[in-house]
Short mmCIF file of all heavy atoms in Angstrom, two decimals:
data_model
loop_
_atom_site.label_atom_id
_atom_site.label_comp_id
_atom_site.label_asym_id
_atom_site.label_seq_id
_atom_site.Cartn_x
_atom_site.Cartn_y
_atom_site.Cartn_z
N SER A 21 119.45 60.79 62.87
CA SER A 21 119.14 61.93 62.00
C SER A 21 119.06 63.26 62.76
O SER A 21 118.78 64.29 62.15
CB SER A 21 117.81 61.68 61.27
OG SER A 21 116.76 61.53 62.21
N ASN A 22 119.30 63.22 64.06
CA ASN A 22 119.27 64.46 64.84
C ASN A 22 120.33 65.42 64.31
O ASN A 22 121.40 65.00 63.88
CB ASN A 22 119.57 64.19 66.31
CG ASN A 22 118.58 63.25 66.94
OD1 ASN A 22 118.47 62.11 66.52
ND2 ASN A 22 117.90 63.72 67.96
N PRO A 23 120.05 66.73 64.39
CA PRO A 23 121.10 67.70 64.05
C PRO A 23 122.26 67.55 65.04
O PRO A 23 122.03 67.25 66.21
CB PRO A 23 120.42 69.05 64.21
CG PRO A 23 119.03 68.81 64.65
CD PRO A 23 118.81 67.35 64.78
N ILE A 24 123.48 67.70 64.54
CA ILE A 24 124.67 67.55 65.38
C ILE A 24 125.44 68.87 65.36
O ILE A 24 125.75 69.41 64.30
CB ILE A 24 125.57 66.41 64.87
CG1 ILE A 24 124.78 65.10 64.89
CG2 ILE A 24 126.83 66.31 65.72
CD1 ILE A 24 125.47 63.96 64.18
N VAL A 25 125.75 69.36 66.56
CA VAL A 25 126.58 70.55 66.71
C VAL A 25 127.92 70.07 67.25
O VAL A 25 127.97 69.33 68.24
CB VAL A 25 125.95 71.57 67.68
CG1 VAL A 25 126.90 72.72 67.97
CG2 VAL A 25 124.64 72.08 67.12
N VAL A 26 129.01 70.50 66.63
CA VAL A 26 130.34 70.11 67.07
C VAL A 26 131.04 71.33 67.65
O VAL A 26 131.13 72.38 67.00
CB VAL A 26 131.18 69.53 65.91
CG1 VAL A 26 132.58 69.17 66.38
CG2 VAL A 26 130.48 68.31 65.30
N CYS A 27 131.53 71.18 68.88
CA CYS A 27 132.37 72.20 69.51
C CYS A 27 133.76 71.60 69.70
O CYS A 27 133.88 70.40 69.97
CB CYS A 27 131.78 72.61 70.86
SG CYS A 27 130.19 73.44 70.74
N HIS A 28 134.79 72.43 69.57
CA HIS A 28 136.15 71.90 69.57
C HIS A 28 136.93 72.16 70.84
O HIS A 28 138.10 71.78 70.94
CB HIS A 28 136.90 72.44 68.34
CG HIS A 28 136.30 71.94 67.07
ND1 HIS A 28 135.52 72.72 66.25
CD2 HIS A 28 136.30 70.70 66.50
CE1 HIS A 28 135.11 72.00 65.22
NE2 HIS A 28 135.56 70.78 65.35
N ASP A 29 136.32 72.81 71.81
CA ASP A 29 136.96 72.97 73.12
C ASP A 29 135.88 73.24 74.16
O ASP A 29 134.72 73.47 73.82
CB ASP A 29 138.02 74.09 73.11
CG ASP A 29 137.47 75.45 72.74
OD1 ASP A 29 136.53 75.93 73.42
OD2 ASP A 29 137.98 76.05 71.77
N GLY A 30 136.27 73.17 75.42
CA GLY A 30 135.30 73.33 76.49
C GLY A 30 134.67 74.70 76.54
O GLY A 30 133.47 74.83 76.85
N ALA A 31 135.43 75.73 76.22
CA ALA A 31 134.88 77.09 76.24
C ALA A 31 133.78 77.24 75.20
O ALA A 31 132.73 77.82 75.47
CB ALA A 31 136.00 78.12 76.02
N GLU A 32 134.01 76.69 74.01
CA GLU A 32 132.99 76.76 72.96
C GLU A 32 131.74 75.97 73.36
O GLU A 32 130.62 76.39 73.10
CB GLU A 32 133.54 76.23 71.64
CG GLU A 32 132.56 76.34 70.49
CD GLU A 32 133.07 75.77 69.18
OE1 GLU A 32 134.22 75.29 69.11
OE2 GLU A 32 132.29 75.79 68.21
N ALA A 33 131.94 74.83 74.01
CA ALA A 33 130.80 74.02 74.47
C ALA A 33 129.95 74.81 75.46
O ALA A 33 128.72 74.80 75.39
CB ALA A 33 131.29 72.72 75.10
N LEU A 34 130.60 75.51 76.38
CA LEU A 34 129.86 76.32 77.36
C LEU A 34 129.14 77.46 76.66
O LEU A 34 128.00 77.79 77.04
CB LEU A 34 130.80 76.84 78.44
CG LEU A 34 131.32 75.77 79.40
CD1 LEU A 34 132.40 76.33 80.31
CD2 LEU A 34 130.18 75.16 80.21
N GLU A 35 129.77 78.06 75.66
CA GLU A 35 129.08 79.11 74.89
C GLU A 35 127.83 78.56 74.24
O GLU A 35 126.77 79.21 74.24
CB GLU A 35 130.01 79.69 73.80
CG GLU A 35 131.09 80.58 74.32
CD GLU A 35 131.97 81.13 73.20
OE1 GLU A 35 131.78 80.77 72.01
OE2 GLU A 35 132.87 81.93 73.52
N TYR A 36 127.91 77.35 73.69
CA TYR A 36 126.73 76.75 73.05
C TYR A 36 125.63 76.49 74.08
O TYR A 36 124.49 76.89 73.89
CB TYR A 36 127.10 75.44 72.33
CG TYR A 36 125.88 74.80 71.72
CD1 TYR A 36 125.38 75.26 70.51
CD2 TYR A 36 125.20 73.79 72.37
CE1 TYR A 36 124.23 74.72 69.96
CE2 TYR A 36 124.04 73.24 71.83
CZ TYR A 36 123.57 73.71 70.63
OH TYR A 36 122.42 73.18 70.09
N VAL A 37 125.99 75.82 75.16
CA VAL A 37 124.99 75.44 76.17
C VAL A 37 124.31 76.66 76.76
O VAL A 37 123.09 76.68 76.94
CB VAL A 37 125.64 74.58 77.28
CG1 VAL A 37 124.70 74.40 78.45
CG2 VAL A 37 126.06 73.23 76.71
N PHE A 38 125.08 77.71 77.05
CA PHE A 38 124.53 78.89 77.72
C PHE A 38 124.15 80.02 76.77
O PHE A 38 123.72 81.08 77.20
CB PHE A 38 125.50 79.38 78.80
CG PHE A 38 125.66 78.36 79.91
CD1 PHE A 38 126.84 77.66 80.05
CD2 PHE A 38 124.61 78.09 80.78
CE1 PHE A 38 126.98 76.71 81.06
CE2 PHE A 38 124.74 77.16 81.79
CZ PHE A 38 125.93 76.46 81.93
N GLY A 39 124.31 79.79 75.46
CA GLY A 39 123.89 80.79 74.47
C GLY A 39 124.66 82.09 74.54
O GLY A 39 124.08 83.17 74.44
N THR A 40 125.98 81.98 74.67
CA THR A 40 126.83 83.17 74.72
C THR A 40 127.85 83.12 73.57
O THR A 40 127.89 82.16 72.82
CB THR A 40 127.58 83.26 76.08
OG1 THR A 40 128.43 82.11 76.22
CG2 THR A 40 126.62 83.33 77.24
N GLY A 41 128.68 84.17 73.48
CA GLY A 41 129.73 84.20 72.46
C GLY A 41 129.16 84.03 71.07
O GLY A 41 128.17 84.65 70.71
N LYS A 42 129.76 83.13 70.29
CA LYS A 42 129.29 82.94 68.92
C LYS A 42 127.92 82.29 68.85
O LYS A 42 127.29 82.25 67.79
CB LYS A 42 130.33 82.18 68.09
CG LYS A 42 130.43 80.70 68.33
CD LYS A 42 131.55 80.12 67.47
CE LYS A 42 131.28 78.71 67.06
NZ LYS A 42 132.33 78.16 66.20
N TYR A 43 127.42 81.79 69.98
CA TYR A 43 126.08 81.19 70.03
C TYR A 43 125.07 82.11 70.72
O TYR A 43 123.98 81.67 71.10
CB TYR A 43 126.12 79.83 70.73
CG TYR A 43 126.99 78.83 70.00
CD1 TYR A 43 128.29 78.56 70.41
CD2 TYR A 43 126.51 78.17 68.87
CE1 TYR A 43 129.08 77.65 69.74
CE2 TYR A 43 127.29 77.27 68.18
CZ TYR A 43 128.58 77.01 68.62
OH TYR A 43 129.36 76.11 67.94
N ALA A 44 125.42 83.38 70.87
CA ALA A 44 124.50 84.34 71.49
C ALA A 44 123.20 84.38 70.70
O ALA A 44 123.21 84.40 69.47
CB ALA A 44 125.14 85.73 71.54
N GLY A 45 122.10 84.34 71.41
CA GLY A 45 120.80 84.36 70.76
C GLY A 45 120.22 82.98 70.51
O GLY A 45 119.06 82.85 70.15
N ARG A 46 121.03 81.93 70.72
CA ARG A 46 120.51 80.57 70.58
C ARG A 46 119.47 80.34 71.67
O ARG A 46 119.62 80.79 72.80
CB ARG A 46 121.66 79.56 70.75
CG ARG A 46 121.23 78.12 70.52
CD ARG A 46 122.35 77.15 70.82
NE ARG A 46 122.44 76.82 72.23
CZ ARG A 46 121.61 76.00 72.88
NH1 ARG A 46 120.59 75.46 72.26
NH2 ARG A 46 121.78 75.76 74.16
N ASN A 47 118.41 79.65 71.35
CA ASN A 47 117.37 79.35 72.33
C ASN A 47 117.90 78.30 73.31
O ASN A 47 117.93 77.10 73.00
CB ASN A 47 116.10 78.84 71.64
CG ASN A 47 114.99 78.56 72.62
OD1 ASN A 47 115.14 78.70 73.83
ND2 ASN A 47 113.85 78.15 72.09
N VAL A 48 118.33 78.74 74.48
CA VAL A 48 118.94 77.83 75.45
C VAL A 48 117.93 76.88 76.08
O VAL A 48 118.31 75.91 76.73
CB VAL A 48 119.72 78.60 76.55
CG1 VAL A 48 120.90 79.34 75.94
CG2 VAL A 48 118.82 79.54 77.30
N ALA A 49 116.65 77.12 75.86
CA ALA A 49 115.62 76.18 76.32
C ALA A 49 115.68 74.88 75.52
O ALA A 49 115.22 73.84 75.98
CB ALA A 49 114.24 76.80 76.23
N GLU A 50 116.25 74.95 74.32
CA GLU A 50 116.42 73.76 73.49
C GLU A 50 117.74 73.10 73.85
O GLU A 50 118.75 73.26 73.17
CB GLU A 50 116.37 74.13 72.01
CG GLU A 50 115.02 74.64 71.57
CD GLU A 50 114.97 75.03 70.11
OE1 GLU A 50 115.91 74.73 69.34
OE2 GLU A 50 113.98 75.68 69.73
N PHE A 51 117.72 72.36 74.95
CA PHE A 51 118.92 71.70 75.45
C PHE A 51 119.20 70.45 74.63
O PHE A 51 118.26 69.76 74.20
CB PHE A 51 118.71 71.35 76.93
CG PHE A 51 119.97 71.15 77.68
CD1 PHE A 51 120.76 72.23 78.03
CD2 PHE A 51 120.39 69.88 78.04
CE1 PHE A 51 121.94 72.05 78.72
CE2 PHE A 51 121.57 69.70 78.73
CZ PHE A 51 122.35 70.78 79.07
N PRO A 52 120.48 70.13 74.38
CA PRO A 52 120.79 68.94 73.58
C PRO A 52 120.19 67.67 74.19
O PRO A 52 120.14 67.52 75.41
CB PRO A 52 122.32 68.87 73.61
CG PRO A 52 122.76 70.26 73.94
CD PRO A 52 121.68 70.85 74.80
N ALA A 53 119.77 66.77 73.32
CA ALA A 53 119.25 65.47 73.77
C ALA A 53 120.37 64.65 74.39
O ALA A 53 120.18 63.97 75.38
CB ALA A 53 118.63 64.72 72.60
N VAL A 54 121.55 64.75 73.77
CA VAL A 54 122.73 63.99 74.21
C VAL A 54 123.94 64.89 74.01
O VAL A 54 124.04 65.61 73.02
CB VAL A 54 122.91 62.71 73.36
CG1 VAL A 54 124.20 61.99 73.70
CG2 VAL A 54 121.73 61.78 73.51
N THR A 55 124.85 64.81 74.97
CA THR A 55 126.14 65.49 74.83
C THR A 55 127.23 64.45 74.91
O THR A 55 127.34 63.72 75.90
CB THR A 55 126.33 66.55 75.93
OG1 THR A 55 125.29 67.53 75.83
CG2 THR A 55 127.68 67.25 75.80
N LEU A 56 128.03 64.37 73.84
CA LEU A 56 129.20 63.49 73.82
C LEU A 56 130.40 64.38 74.12
O LEU A 56 130.76 65.24 73.32
CB LEU A 56 129.34 62.82 72.45
CG LEU A 56 128.11 62.03 71.99
CD1 LEU A 56 128.28 61.56 70.55
CD2 LEU A 56 127.86 60.86 72.91
N LEU A 57 130.98 64.19 75.30
CA LEU A 57 131.94 65.16 75.84
C LEU A 57 133.29 64.51 76.10
O LEU A 57 133.43 63.62 76.94
CB LEU A 57 131.36 65.72 77.16
CG LEU A 57 132.19 66.71 77.95
CD1 LEU A 57 132.42 67.99 77.15
CD2 LEU A 57 131.48 67.03 79.26
N ASP A 58 134.30 64.95 75.36
CA ASP A 58 135.68 64.56 75.62
C ASP A 58 136.09 65.18 76.95
O ASP A 58 135.72 66.31 77.25
CB ASP A 58 136.57 65.08 74.48
CG ASP A 58 138.01 64.62 74.57
OD1 ASP A 58 138.39 63.94 75.54
OD2 ASP A 58 138.78 64.94 73.64
#
């Protein structure tokens, strides 16, 4: 039931993890519990 965030390329994944680009302002202290990485 955990929330799931889907990124479609490596650049977008890095934006999510580091809170940049379209994920600017995301609380980067809230690190994903699990990352399923192609």
